[in-house]
Amino acid sequence: MNIRHAKTFLLGALALGFLVSVAASHFNSYWLFITYDIAINVILAVSLNLINGYTGQFSLGHAGFMAVGAYTAAVITNQFGDLNPFAAGAVFSGALLAGGALAAGAGLLVGIPTLRLRGDYLAIVTLGFGEIIRVIFQNMQGVGGARGLSVAHGWTDFFWAFGAAAAAVYVVAALVHSTYGRGFLAVRDDEVAASAMGINPVRYKVTAFVVGAFFAGVAGGLYAHSKQFITPGGFNFMQSVSIVVMVILGGMGNTVGVILAAVLLTLLPEFLRPIAEYRMILYSLLLVVLMLARPQGLFTFRKQGDAK
Amino acid sequence: MNPARPGAEKFDSPLLQLDKATLRFGGLAAVSDLDLSLGRNELVGLIGPNGAGKTSAFNLITGVYPPSGGSILFDGRPMANRKPHQIARAGIARTFQNIRLFASMTVFDNVRTAARLHCPRGVRNALWRGRSFRDGEKEISGQVMELLEIFQLGKFHAAAATSLSYGDQRRLEIIRALATKPKLLLLDEPAAGMNATEKAELMRLIQFIKDRFQVSILLVEHDMKVVMGICERIVVLDYGMKIAEGTPAEIRAHPKVIEAYLGD
Ligand SMILES: Nc1ncnc2c1ncn2[C@@H]1O[C@H](COP(=O)(O)OP(=O)(O)O)[C@@H](O)[C@H]1O
Ligand SMILES: [Mg+2]
């Protein structure tokens, strides 16, 4: 991605999202909702890619951050969404940001104690964190407990979904493609050498966790206002795994590849829908085959990770 | 200069001073009671047989491991128990015995990553990408290219760091260390794996670095003949202890040194 035109890209994406959302009534609503899923998965995958791909951590708790954002945003819009019909956009954006902020706070909480851990250990701790979040919501009767929570407003549309996706892509790409951002890759490549060059690995890891969690929270808010019904079970371990799969399949630390993988893996189950009961088996088989055939990621073509 | 000015005495005090510095791994003392002092713009050789504790001494100075005892002063400030990145920011840079370049990055980015040390800009700057960001990036980029040119690696700036020849990778590690603008440069067996001609060339390069960048250099080398030509002073380690210190001529004739190397 040519980062020099990044701001233009961001504005272009927002404008396109707006135009499509204006014309949304002319589109098949089934496919429209799938495009929201695509945007949400792009946000999740791109943000996890900052943690797992660029910084070389292994987080398995992204669904937990997503849950924090989803519940926070849903509770806010359920509470304040009807106050003033003209302020809907403001309430929604506030709710999404609050969801992101709370998720980022959770990211900070998980990030700090887990920084001494590496690889498998970090994966286990973040997995545990995700499950704890899920269990907490399951037992919170105020938000419906295990029965789930209805979300009054279906505010997620093309503009919000793709605007947020463009923002997530921009933030991750802009961070990584700077002298400052080379530090994420340095920490991943060789932590000892990185610290010998004056890079504070703790700082970079926490930043990756916080930024990643923020966008997972925003994605959760969008998800809640697209489905209009959320249950703790929707943010389980499998959801975290499916985001990890997008990152691995796209090629760790390859933003464009990860975006393509998120699109592909959102669409694949839809195309497999006609063969209903064999769908998940085929999906899993396809994943296994893809991993074996292209362990470096489907969309990684250069041998060197991320050169410039 | 008025000698009574506070802080002026800092220039007379050594740049680096180890006082009974000790590093233990369980029962093994990799470095024991090491006294070592290094002046400004001085080039000192640290030699000793394999396993003598040379790399461990570097790990101690750069904070990879906290000392089990003793003290380390750099520029008059205590360094013990500081984190490696803090020590790097204080002005100590190093290379590694086993090359540790950033493998996924280009030659340029390896150096650029280290050059960030003197540029405090962070997240907000990178996100906003305004004028100060662009100016800063341009300035760093200029510094990096200049460094690469000095060492004739400019033409490889866009190549993957790991695609360089072995000797160039070693030089790139030195350039990366210099990009942090250190006061003290620690080189851990930079000549390892080179043939005699390459070694001689590298020693000239090290001398050049000392003069050009006005740094103090502590040079670890396994083969004492290599450092004899360029070091004013040599410190010899064996079993974690300093067994000799002096000019190359003194070291060559020192009975303990001869014994240590014959046993090697
Ligand atoms: N991380 C470590 N853990 C345990 N022992 C170590 C460690 N690093 C070095 N040692 C031991 O310390 C001694 C000195 O090693 P080292 O400093 O690498 O020697 P040199 O660089 O002079 O060849 C050796 O006996 C080595 O096995
Ligand atoms: Mg060594």
Side-chain angles (χ1 to χ4, degrees):
Chain A
M1 171 171 308
N2 191 341
I3 198 70
R4 243 180 306 155
H5 305 299
K7 273 190 195 164
T8 326
F9 154 82
L10 185 63
L11 291 176
L14 287 172
L16 184 74
F18 182 70
L19 285 179
V20 174
S21 69
V22 167
S25 53
H26 302 291
F27 295 113
N28 174 322
S29 77
Y30 173 71
W31 283 103
L32 210 53
F33 273 93
I34 289 175
T35 63
Y36 304 162
D37 287 349
I38 289 178
I40 289 165
N41 281 334
V42 165
I43 301 172
L44 290 168
V46 164
S47 60
L48 183 66
N49 190 32
L50 180 64
I51 303 172
N52 287 22
Y54 287 114
T55 320
Q57 306 295 101
F58 195 171
S59 171
L60 260 177
H62 226 46
F65 299 131
M66 192 186 171
V68 172
Y71 275 94
T72 306
V75 166
I76 291 176
T77 59
N78 279 353
Q79 202 74 34
F80 304 108
D82 298 313
L83 286 186
N84 182 346
F86 299 105
V91 173
F92 191 35
S93 55
L96 290 178
L97 288 175
L102 241 66
L108 193 67
L109 275 181
V110 196
I112 290 172
T114 51
L115 287 161
R116 303 166 138 270
L117 305 171
R118 279 155 209 269
D120 333 355
Y121 296 101
L122 182 64
I124 291 166
V125 170
T126 50
L127 186 161
F129 155 79
E131 291 299 289
I132 289 170
I133 295 277
R134 189 173 61 76
V135 171
I136 288 177
F137 284 124
Q138 213 150 40
N139 291 293
M140 248 183 171
Q141 296 313 320
V143 292
R147 280 170 291 114
L149 177 67
S150 289
V151 183
H153 303 279
W155 279 339
T156 297
D157 66 4
F158 205 88
F159 171 71
W160 287 105
F162 279 82
V169 172
Y170 174 80
V171 166
V172 171
L175 276 185
V176 166
H177 294 265
S178 66
T179 300
Y180 161 77
R182 293 291 99 176
F184 293 106
L185 283 72
V187 168
R188 171 190 71 186
D189 284 359
D190 192 325
E191 209 176 308
V192 171
S195 24
M197 299 305 130
I199 285 165
N200 181 354
V202 171
R203 191 85 189 247
Y204 275 92
K205 288 183 194 172
V206 171
T207 304
F209 256 98
V210 169
V211 173
F214 174 83
F215 280 108
V218 171
L222 289 165
Y223 174 86
H225 294 82
S226 163
K227 308 292 173 199
Q228 290 195 257
F229 189 73
I230 50 177
T231 59
F235 306 103
N236 61 7
F237 169 62
M238 282 316 294
Q239 172 63 18
S240 286
V241 169
S242 84
I243 308 167
V244 170
V245 168
M246 289 172 196
V247 172
I248 295 177
L249 207 61
M252 305 269 257
N254 170 354
T255 298
V256 177
V258 165
I259 293 171
L260 293 175
V263 175
L264 185 76
L265 289 185
T266 316
L267 290 177
L268 200 58
E270 298 305 324
F271 288 122
L272 295 178
R273 209 174 272 283
I275 47 167
E277 60 266 44
Y278 301 110
R279 187 163 76 124
M280 283 324 286
I281 300 177
L282 200 64
Y283 176 81
S284 314
L285 270 178
L286 261 173
L287 283 184
V288 172
V289 170
L290 288 174
M291 295 283 185
L292 288 176
R294 290 194 67 83
Q296 74 276 41
L298 261 190
F299 305 104
T300 299
F301 299 109
R302 273 172 307 170
K303 194 174 161 290
Q304 277 308 311
D306 188 77
K308 193 75 203 278
Chain B
M1 191 187 281
N2 179 1
R5 218 178 68 188
E9 72 279 8
K10 262 174 74 177
F11 288 94
D12 308 322
S13 70
L15 181 64
L16 176 72
Q17 184 148 32
L18 271 62
D19 188 22
K20 293 203 184 321
T22 301
L23 175 60
R24 263 188 287 273
F25 294 113
L28 175 94
V31 179
S32 69
D33 289 335
L34 178 62
D35 295 332
L36 181 74
S37 155
L38 201 74
R40 279 160 217 280
N41 205 22
E42 194 184 11
L43 171 50
V44 172
L46 182 62
I47 66 171
N50 259 326
K54 307 180 294 291
T55 299
S56 299
F58 273 18
N59 287 338
L60 202 52
I61 297 169
T62 55
V64 175
Y65 303 110
S68 325
S71 73
I72 302 171
L73 285 180
F74 178 70
D75 237 356
R77 285 176 294 165
M79 287 291 128
N81 301 316
R82 287 208 200 187
K83 297 257 159 53
H85 69 270
Q86 295 168 323
I87 292 174
R89 288 178 193 169
I92 303 182
R94 73 176 289 184
T95 65
F96 295 89
Q97 183 173 353
N98 314 306
I99 301 176
R100 299 186 87 142
L101 290 169
F102 301 127
S104 77
M105 293 190 215
T106 59
V107 169
F108 178 85
D109 276 352
N110 262 274
V111 184
R112 163 154 89 120
T113 305
R116 174 174 132 79
L117 192 136
H118 293 283
C119 133
R121 287 177 293 274
V123 175
R124 248 179 307 146
N125 212 272
L127 288 183
W128 180 244
R129 292 183 121 62
R131 154 129 319 159
S132 84
F133 170 79
R134 273 173 286 143
D135 289 350
E137 295 285 280
K138 208 181 279 172
E139 191 191 319
I140 285 187
S141 170
Q143 288 173 11
V144 170
M145 284 314 290
E146 192 187 324
L147 265 177
L148 287 172
E149 293 298 346
I150 293 174
F151 296 93
Q152 277 102 45
L153 283 180
K155 54 184 179 297
F156 298 126
H157 71 97
T162 47
S163 73
L164 293 183
S165 73
Y166 180 77
D168 281 346
Q169 289 193 28
R170 284 225 172 264
R171 278 200 292 168
L172 180 56
E173 252 209 342
I174 298 176
I175 299 171
R176 185 180 64 175
L178 284 173
T180 67
K181 299 182 185 152
K183 295 184 190 130
L184 170 63
L185 181 59
L186 309 176
L187 302 174
D188 198 348
E189 302 206 25
M194 294 185 175
N195 63 34
T197 336
E198 288 169 327
K199 279 186 183 182
E201 193 187 320
L202 183 73
M203 291 307 130
R204 274 199 299 280
L205 186 74
I206 290 170
Q207 191 119 51
F208 163 79
I209 289 170
K210 181 193 147 214
D211 299 334
R212 161 88 198 233
F213 296 94
Q214 293 291 307
V215 285
S216 302
I217 298 179
L218 189 56
L219 171 61
V220 158
E221 180 51 57
H222 168 67
D223 179 355
M224 75 167 131
K225 282 192 289 296
V226 176
V227 295
M228 288 290 177
I230 59 166
C231 295
E232 301 119 53
R233 194 154 58 85
I234 291 175
V235 173
V236 190
L237 285 185
D238 197 19
Y239 296 108
M241 280 173 289
K242 180 160 83 174
I243 57 167
E245 179 170 1
T247 63
E250 287 164 358
I251 293 301
R252 217 178 333 231
H254 202 290
K256 275 192 179 168
V257 178
I258 296 168
E259 191 188 328
Y261 271 85
L262 282 177
D264 179 27

